[in-house]
Structure formats: structure tokens, C-alpha cells
Amino acid sequence: MSANITLTMIKPTAFKNNCTGKILYKITEAGFRVVAMKVTKLSKEEAMKFYEVHAGRPFYGELVDFMSSGPIVAAILEKENAVEAYRELIGATNPAEAAEGTIRKECGTNIGENAVHGSDSDENAAIEASFFFSQTERF
Ligand code: ADP
Ligand code: MG
């Protein structure tokens, strides 16, 4: 079953704009099961660690500052083929290029503040899930 999870975060702007309910509705409507969920806030150090694969990219500093700027929702989602299915539900990185009906199209602000995170592989989903949740916090 572990191959069938993905990790999402509702990013600070979407949380602040009260988009959490709409996003969770779209997630559950699409057939994902919530395995774990919490409201939390990343420190700058934690955001740097979460996004360390992007260290060196021109947007890394901006991304770390943004992701540590306010509360977020972190959640583990389960579904068959979860990583790919969730990437399809959230849409392209840039909300302006995301397909109609996707979470980023409907809730994203710009390419940085794009409403949600979604894991990009089963391997990273497992790493990212463990970043936020212990085994006893998963149901
Ligand atoms: P995704 O979140 O779609 O997997 P990436 O992994 O490439 O996209 O990038 C991680 C996050 O970094 C994006 O979700 C977005 O918040 C931010 N980001 C990506 N590209 C840019 C960019 N060109 N300018 C500003 N922020 C960006
Ligand atoms: Mg990514």
C-alpha cells in the first residue's frame, strides 16, 4: 500500500484565503482517502530541508521564505496510483497554465503561490510523508 500514497501541503496563501475546505472537498471527491492530516507551520530551516532538492534553483530562497511565512495543512493521501492521480488533480506548476477545474487553476495565485504541493514520485512521497508524520499518526 505504501506505493499508493502521496503527500500534499496546502500552501500559506491558500490556507490564509480560506481555500482549505474547497481543496479538501476536491481531494475527497476525486477518491483520495485522508491517511493523516495536520495544520502546522514550517520554520525556515524545515522549509529549506523539505525543498532541498531545489537548493541552487533561482527561486529557492523565495520558495523557502514563502513556505515558512504562515500556517499550512499537511496531509497524506491514499489512492491507487496516488502520485500521478494527484498531480493530475492539482494541475501544472503555474496556475495560469493549469487545466480548468484543477486545484491550482482554481485556488492558485501565481507560480510560486500555487495553492498546493504534490509529491513527484513514490520514493519522494514516502520521504515527504515521514517528514510530517510518524507511523502512529497515520490511519
Ligand atoms: P511542483 O510543485 O509542480 O512539483 P517544482 O517541484 O518544480 O513544481 O517546484 C516546487 C515549487 O517551487 C513550486 O510548486 C512553486 O511553489 C515553486 N516554483 C517552481 N518554479 C518556480 C518559479 N519559476 N518561480 C517561482 N517559484 C517557483
Ligand atoms: Mg515538485
Side-chain angles (χ1 to χ4, degrees), residues 11 51 54 57 59 62-63 87 93 104 111-112 114 118:
K11 298 187 180 187
Y51 282 110
H54 294 305
R57 304 274 287 277
F59 57 83
E62 186 189 330
L63 176 62
R87 300 282 315 187
T93 303
R104 282 172 164 170
I111 191 167
N114 56 2

Side-chain angles (χ1 to χ4, degrees), residues 89-111:
L89 180 66
I90 70 178
T93 303
N94 187 348
E97 291 163 11
E100 287 301 326
T102 60
I103 290 173
R104 282 172 164 170
K105 180 72 171 187
E106 294 194 4
C107 305
T109 305
N110 56 50
I111 191 167

Side-chain angles (χ1 to χ4, degrees), residues 1-15:
M1 289 301 274
S2 64
N4 293 326
I5 61 162
T6 190
L7 185 284
T8 191
M9 295 183 285
I10 298 176
K11 298 187 180 187
T13 309
F15 184 83

Side-chain angles (χ1 to χ4, degrees), residues 9-137:
M9 295 183 285
I10 298 176
K11 298 187 180 187
T13 309
F15 184 83
K16 192 170 78 188
N17 291 344
N18 261 338
C19 292
T20 299
K22 179 177 179 174
I23 292 168
L24 292 177
Y25 180 75
K26 288 177 90 67
I27 286 170
T28 51
E29 276 291 284
F32 291 87
R33 191 178 76 79
V34 178
V35 173
M37 183 161 62
K38 66 170 90 168
V39 179
T40 185
K41 185 173 184 290
L42 294 173
S43 67
K44 191 165 177 176
E45 291 69 30
E46 287 168 333
M48 286 174 75
K49 172 119 188 63
F50 186 91
Y51 282 110
E52 74 187 348
V53 308
H54 294 305
R57 304 274 287 277
F59 57 83
Y60 181 64
E62 186 189 330
L63 176 62
V64 165
D65 286 346
F66 168 56
M67 289 304 297
S68 57
S69 68
I72 61 167
V73 174
I76 300 173
L77 307 176
E78 184 182 69
K79 193 188 180 188
E80 202 173 308
N81 203 15
V83 166
E84 200 184 321
Y86 191 61
R87 300 282 315 187
E88 195 175 322
L89 180 66
I90 70 178
T93 303
N94 187 348
E97 291 163 11
E100 287 301 326
T102 60
I103 290 173
R104 282 172 164 170
K105 180 72 171 187
E106 294 194 4
C107 305
T109 305
N110 56 50
I111 191 167
E113 303 182 27
N114 56 2
V116 287
H117 169 80
S119 306
D120 64 5
S121 66
D122 290 341
E123 188 190 357
N124 284 334
I127 293 167
E128 292 172 2
S130 296
F131 185 92
F132 285 104
F133 300 100
S134 67
Q135 288 301 328
T136 58
E137 293 174 301

